[in-house]
Amino acid sequence: MCSIYILVVAIVLPCCFEILSLNCGTLMKETLRYLAGIVGPSGYGSKSTAEQVANSCSYLVDSQRLTAIITGATSGIGEETARAVAKRGVRVVIPARDIKKAAELKERIRKDNPNAEVILCEIDLSSLASVKRFCNEFLALGLPLNILINNAGIFSQKLEFSEDKFEMTFATNYLGHYLLTEMLIQKMIETAEQTGIQGRIINLSSVIHSWVGRDCFHFNQMLHPINYNGTRAYAQSKLATILHAKEIAKQLKAKNANVTINAVHPGIVKTGIFRAHKGFITDSIFFIASKLLKSISQGASTSCYVALSPQVEGMSGKYFVDCNESNCSVLANDESEARRLWRQTRALIRRRLYQTPC
């Protein structure tokens, strides 16, 4: 039970420490900026909502040509992201583990926008075979792919393993999205070439990634942890998503592909990750921290901004917070670490799915 409290504190404290490390003048300025939602260089801030961002994005000049895949869209930030972009006319593909919940979401989106096109598919992101099956099914539809939002995420207090025998948090938050991106990226490159519209990949991360030190980031130990800690596993998976974005950005640039990939921190939002951890203490922590918490719509704004804004055109391998470019940890910026993680993941997936050497 204490793991969930540690996670809440772990997400809140980095914001406090970052503020406290500033001088008095900057301290007051940054505190007021966050609490009051004062906008940054992008014209948006912590109080901006997904709908506000989506509505103001001229990137969607011909929205009927755009197709977006959004994982984890049946609740929380993913649902709000799907709703906001669908309202702008984007065709939304929702891969979901619970098809019933996905169908209910589809109905809610259609009520909001009767002309919305929503396609439902089944996926279990913790299963490499399931991810591969979904990708093959999507590619068989012959649709373009402009936007991929790797939004889904879990937090597990207890040590659990996926059907592939990998730690569940790492398997779901990182490995599944790695394979999803790998199998769909060529379609995104081709779509960008055919339409002239830049493809965009967004990885959902978290400020908690900065709590992971180099001594706690070892691939095999993350796959099969001995001394499991839920908060640490979650932080490791979120660091991995940033490193993934950094490495893929380099590869896309080398190919001169008109596709970008970036990582975003949605902010401190009470989402479905905490659904199984309701209680007096948890609710009290969130109540006390309420001035730092975002609404779900505010939490989804940065994903929408990076996916749709013309201001982000050409930006790749970056980290965004509150709809503005921000700084991630030193380890998250380590190019050799990013390359190493990519190679290890590629080798693992090839062995598991294709029985071929790396």
Side-chain angles (χ1 to χ4, degrees), residues 20-247:
L20 290 172
S21 68
L22 306 171
N23 60 47
C24 291
T26 307
L27 167 61
M28 181 167 290
K29 180 180 177 182
E30 292 302 316
T31 301
L32 289 173
R33 179 182 295 277
Y34 181 84
L35 295 179
I38 297 173
V39 301
S42 69
Y44 303 104
S46 62
K47 302 299 183 184
S48 299
T49 67
E51 192 161 330
Q52 288 171 345
V53 171
N55 286 343
S56 63
C57 286
S58 60
Y59 176 71
L60 299 177
V61 176
D62 186 3
S63 60
Q64 295 303 318
R65 291 189 297 168
L66 295 182
T67 301
I69 292 177
I70 305 173
T71 67
T74 56
S75 64
I77 293 170
E79 176 177 352
E80 180 61 16
T81 303
R83 189 193 68 80
V85 301
K87 196 170 184 179
R88 288 289 290 166
V90 178
R91 178 193 292 119
V92 178
V93 179
I94 299 176
R97 187 171 183 174
D98 189 332
I99 291 297
K100 181 180 178 181
K101 285 184 66 177
E104 292 169 354
L105 169 61
K106 180 177 180 177
E107 287 304 309
R108 290 195 294 273
I109 291 176
R110 294 293 297 274
K111 279 186 179 181
D112 209 20
N113 176 14
N115 296 319
E117 184 176 356
V118 182
I119 299 172
L120 309 181
C121 299
E122 190 171 359
I123 195 173
D124 177 356
L125 275 165
S126 71
S127 163
L128 296 177
S130 178
V131 174
K132 180 182 178 183
R133 184 163 52 249
F134 161 74
C135 290
N136 288 334
E137 289 174 357
F138 172 78
L139 293 172
L141 295 175
L143 295 173
L145 181 57
N146 308 92
I147 300 166
L148 172 61
I149 302 180
N150 293 321
N151 169 84
I154 66 166
F155 168 79
S156 178
Q157 291 190 62
K158 298 179 180 179
L159 176 59
E160 299 177 281
F161 290 96
S162 68
E163 69 175 37
D164 298 302
K165 310 304 181 186
F166 305 136
E167 190 278 314
M168 186 66 78
T169 301
F170 195 69
T172 303
N173 297 359
Y174 169 66
L175 292 177
H177 284 129
Y178 175 102
L179 179 58
L180 187 71
T181 303
E182 181 181 77
M183 292 193 66
L184 298 177
I185 201 165
Q186 186 57 40
K187 168 58 71 174
M188 296 191 72
I189 293 172
E190 292 170 0
T191 299
E193 290 175 346
Q194 293 164 2
T195 64
I197 299 174
Q198 184 176 82
R200 299 189 182 183
I201 304 168
I202 295 90
N203 283 356
L204 267 285
S205 185
S206 170
V207 69
I208 199 176
H209 81 271
S210 62
W211 280 45
V212 180
R214 198 176 299 274
D215 59 336
C216 292
F217 198 74
H218 301 288
F219 191 67
N220 289 332
Q221 291 179 18
M222 290 186 288
L223 292 175
H224 307 106
I226 298 174
N227 298 312
Y228 181 76
N229 176 283
T231 303
R232 181 174 60 218
Y234 183 76
Q236 289 168 332
S237 72
K238 292 305 180 179
L239 172 59
T241 63
I242 300 178
L243 291 168
H244 175 240
K246 298 281 186 182
E247 174 59 26

Side-chain angles (χ1 to χ4, degrees), residues 274-292:
F274 302 103
R275 188 180 297 111
H277 312 291
K278 291 181 179 179
F280 175 76
I281 298 178
T282 304
D283 291 342
S284 297
I285 290 173
F286 276 107
F287 177 77
I288 294 169
S290 62
K291 293 300 182 182
L292 292 175

